[in-house]
Amino acid sequence: MNSKVASLAILVLVMFLAEVELVSGAVTCNPLQLSPCAAAIISSSNPSATCCNKLKEQKPCLCQYMMNPNLQKFINSPGAKKVAYFCDAPFPTC
């Protein structure tokens, strides 16, 4: 199995198992909303407009995701930081 495909599958599985669904203001915090960004996080491709929109929408939730041990390694990964930079959605200081 291709390592990128395996990484994507693991990312989706971890997000699914995390079952984080909290409400932050008007935003429902659900890491699965960031699934359009998974391919860009694990590869060198640029994120899609959908990914950037979802990342900006979920920005109030990122601190909660960063504190979740199941999601930390993905949220703090170089790929995630690259996507945030490309989408002009810098990570909040938590």
Side-chain angles (χ1 to χ4, degrees):
M1 183 187 287
N2 183 325
S3 65
K4 289 181 182 180
V5 173
S7 296
L8 178 60
I10 290 169
L11 173 65
V12 171
L13 178 62
V14 168
M15 288 178 150
F16 180 75
L17 293 175
E19 295 181 15
V20 175
E21 190 154 341
L22 305 168
V23 176
S24 178
V27 176
T28 298
C29 296
N30 181 345
L32 289 176
Q33 294 293 315
L34 297 175
S35 62
C37 299
I41 290 171
I42 62 171
S43 72
S44 60
S45 65
N46 289 334
S48 65
T50 302
C51 166
C52 291
N53 291 336
K54 288 295 183 178
L55 182 60
K56 290 175 183 176
E57 178 185 293
Q58 291 287 301
K59 189 173 179 178
C61 308
L62 292 178
C63 285
Q64 294 169 15
Y65 299 161
M66 286 187 224
M67 290 186 245
N68 182 320
N70 294 320
L71 300 174
Q72 279 177 342
K73 60 186 164 196
F74 299 108
I75 300 297
N76 292 322
S77 72
K81 291 177 181 176
K82 175 196 74 153
V83 168
Y85 177 80
F86 183 90
C87 292
D88 195 27
F91 280 29
T93 303
C94 302

